[in-house]
């Protein structure tokens, strides 16, 4: 009797497992069937390109504290050098155009040349001066091309010329400085000596603005913390349009839009942090293609990428691959001719 019950129990258990297996496969096929058109479309518009240079920051540790490098922003200067800010060690790193390490400067603190908390963006002006957003000291620090401290401007406060949480920064060809403030929901402008000029975004379109880029006509492109959209403004600060949305279709950004940059032809490159790709649009916000292979540790793959920049010739594109502790640099001179890479 006991043997008979055991056989029945085993039979029922196997039957139950078989039913579960059947249902699981049925649901998987249904999901794949529903998702395949979108997936196929996205694959057709993804451009893959192997990096021509990878700067591994783990190879240049400056001490034995064990604090890992976490590059947040990256810029090319007019000499072709690569400037990186690191939110782990609170340092600014300088590399030559071949990626060889030159020097690091800065440390955690509140004095001149010191930084507090996670660093914001960095910018380079026509004189190769380095502008660093020292977010939690509520100021912008300015250094010469060799990392020597020059001056700072800004302080904590809600007034127009003061900061509550500065984040992004860009400098135009005339030396005008644009700084985003995620708490005050605005972009503030200063002259090249740090004197306040005006505030943009007081009409309410800006919600936690973070990264900033300037288009070929002078339009201002802004990404926002915890948002997938990109807002576009005239140089006067008047709102023009918004593009990109949260989603998984081609041109959508899954969650957070991070770094943003424009090339000389007007193409806009936006980092999709969660998808670990770079979405590319024209200046009107029309989706063109995607860069990168997605999440991973290999060449062309990223873990939580953040900063992005072109060199001054538009031939090299640098990505701050933050959680892989490295900078990846791509040859993109033939990007829109479909050369130097492959489509999948």
């Amino acid at each position: 009797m006991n043997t008979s019950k055991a056989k029945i129990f085993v039979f029922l258990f196997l039957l139950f497992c078989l039913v579960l297996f059947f249902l699981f496969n049925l649901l998987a096929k249904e999901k794949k069937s529903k998702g395949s058109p979108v997936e196929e479309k996205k694959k057709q518009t993804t451009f893959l390109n192997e990096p021509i240079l990878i700067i591994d920051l783990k190879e240049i540790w400056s001490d034995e504290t064990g604090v890992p490098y976490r590059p947040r922003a990256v810029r090319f200067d007019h000499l072709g050098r690569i400037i990186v800010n690191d939110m782990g060690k609170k340092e600014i790193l300088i590399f030559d155009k071949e990626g060889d390490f030159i020097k690091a400067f800065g440390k955690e603190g509140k004095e001149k040349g010191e930084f507090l908390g996670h660093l914001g963006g960095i910018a380079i002006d026509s004189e190769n001066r380095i502008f660093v957003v020292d977010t939690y000291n509520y100021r912008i620090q300015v250094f010469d091309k060799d990392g020597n401290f020059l001056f700072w401007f800004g302080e904590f406060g809600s007034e127009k010329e003061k900061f509550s949480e500065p984040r992004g920064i860009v400098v135009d060809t005339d030396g005008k400085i644009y700084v985003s403030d995620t708490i005050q929901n605005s972009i503030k402008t200063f002259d090249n000596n740090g004197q306040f000029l005006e505030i943009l975004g007081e009409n309410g379109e800006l919600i936690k603005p973070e990264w900033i880029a300037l288009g070929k006509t002078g339009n201002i492109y802004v990404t926002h913390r915890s948002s997938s959209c990109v807002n576009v403004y005239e140089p006067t600060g008047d709102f023009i349009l918004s593009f990109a949305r949260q989603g998984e279709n081609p041109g959508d950004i899954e969650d957070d839009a991070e770094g943003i940059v424009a090339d000389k032809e007007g193409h806009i490159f936006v980092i999709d942090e969660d998808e670990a790709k770079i979405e590319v649009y024209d200046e009107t916000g029309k989706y063109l293609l995607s860069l990168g292979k997605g999440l991973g540790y290999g060449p062309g793959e990223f873990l939580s990428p953040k900063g992005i920049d072109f060199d001054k010739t538009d031939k090299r594109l640098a990505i701050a691959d933050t959680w892989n502790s490295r900078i990846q640099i791509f040859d993109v001179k033939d990007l829109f001719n479909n050369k130097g890479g492959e489509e999948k």
Side-chain angles (χ1 to χ4, degrees):
M1 188 68 176
N2 289 336
T3 302
S4 178
K5 287 183 178 180
K7 289 181 179 179
I8 294 173
F9 176 81
V10 170
F11 173 79
L12 291 175
F13 177 77
L14 292 175
L15 181 62
F16 177 75
C17 291
L18 184 63
V19 171
L20 283 180
F21 178 79
F22 175 81
L23 290 175
F24 176 83
N25 278 276
L26 184 64
L27 289 172
K29 288 180 180 179
E30 183 179 359
K31 184 177 181 180
K32 183 176 180 181
S33 175
K34 288 182 178 180
S36 57
V38 171
E39 291 172 1
E40 182 63 26
K41 187 177 180 183
K42 192 152 191 174
K43 286 181 181 179
Q44 291 174 347
T45 54
T46 298
F47 188 97
L48 303 179
N49 199 6
E50 291 294 306
I52 58 172
L53 176 63
I54 295 178
I55 302 174
D56 189 347
L57 303 189
K58 295 187 294 295
E59 296 180 357
I60 51 140
W61 283 48
S62 60
D63 57 38
E64 301 299 328
T65 63
V67 178
Y69 280 107
R70 292 288 182 251
R72 186 177 190 276
V74 59
R75 294 288 189 189
F76 288 99
D77 69 7
H78 294 269
L79 302 173
R81 303 182 310 169
I82 303 148
I83 317 298
V84 179
N85 76 352
D86 176 69
M87 60 185 185
K89 290 183 176 291
K90 317 297 186 291
E91 291 180 342
I92 308 300
L93 310 172
I94 303 177
F95 301 86
D96 67 19
K97 63 177 63 177
E98 283 77 34
D100 293 324
F101 177 65
I102 298 176
K103 70 177 298 184
F105 63 91
K107 63 179 182 178
E108 187 163 16
K110 297 184 178 181
E111 302 302 319
K112 65 181 183 180
E114 299 177 348
F115 311 106
L116 192 63
H118 286 182
L119 294 172
I122 53 177
I124 311 293
D125 71 2
S126 60
E127 299 176 2
N128 288 315
R129 295 188 302 175
I130 303 168
F131 294 74
V132 181
V133 179
D134 187 6
T135 299
Y136 293 109
N137 278 322
Y138 311 104
R139 64 190 181 187
I140 310 302
Q141 295 201 58
V142 187
F143 304 85
D144 69 13
K145 66 181 180 62
D146 297 315
N148 299 307
F149 175 82
L150 297 175
F151 64 93
W152 79 52
F153 62 91
E155 60 181 306
F156 178 76
S158 59
E159 293 86 350
K160 290 184 177 182
E161 72 278 8
K162 298 180 181 180
F163 299 117
S164 296
E165 192 175 301
R167 282 287 180 177
I169 188 170
V170 68
V171 180
D172 70 16
T173 55
D174 296 323
K176 187 176 182 179
I177 305 162
Y178 299 76
V179 182
S180 64
D181 191 312
T182 60
I183 298 297
Q184 295 188 30
N185 294 320
S186 64
I187 293 175
K188 305 184 179 196
T189 62
F190 304 83
D191 69 16
N192 60 3
N193 294 313
Q195 297 299 309
F196 176 77
L197 297 175
E198 61 181 331
I199 188 168
L200 309 178
E202 292 186 291
N203 296 327
E205 297 96 352
L206 288 171
I207 301 176
K208 296 185 177 181
E210 190 155 6
W211 299 84
I212 314 170
L214 298 177
K216 68 175 184 177
T217 62
N219 287 341
I220 305 163
Y221 294 79
V222 185
T223 63
H224 305 76
R225 185 189 299 175
S226 302
S227 172
S228 57
C229 74
V230 177
N231 282 2
V232 188
Y233 299 85
E234 293 180 351
T236 59
D238 294 328
F239 177 75
I240 300 175
L241 60 90
S242 178
F243 66 88
R245 63 180 183 178
Q246 187 173 8
E248 297 181 355
N249 292 327
D252 291 347
I253 293 176
E254 185 169 322
D255 193 1
D256 290 350
E258 285 285 347
I260 184 170
V261 70
D263 68 11
K264 292 181 176 64
E265 300 300 319
H267 305 114
I268 311 301
F269 294 68
V270 183
I271 288 183
D272 184 343
E273 181 180 17
D274 288 359
E275 277 286 307
K277 290 189 177 183
I278 297 89
E279 309 295 349
V280 186
Y281 310 84
D282 69 14
E283 57 190 334
T284 68
K286 178 184 176 182
Y287 171 70
L288 300 176
L289 51 86
S290 299
L291 297 175
K293 301 178 183 177
L295 289 167
Y297 306 96
E301 299 175 335
F302 307 100
L303 287 181
S304 190
K306 293 189 179 296
I308 183 171
D309 196 34
F310 278 101
D311 70 3
K312 306 311 174 186
T313 66
D314 274 358
K315 293 180 180 179
R316 296 195 299 168
L317 180 69
I319 309 293
D321 189 4
T322 303
W323 285 89
N324 276 326
S325 298
R326 65 188 181 183
I327 306 297
Q328 296 197 61
I329 298 177
F330 300 83
D331 181 350
V332 292
K333 63 180 181 295
D334 294 317
L335 179 61
F336 295 99
N337 296 326
N338 192 27
K339 296 176 182 179
E342 61 178 305
E343 287 194 33
K344 291 185 73 176

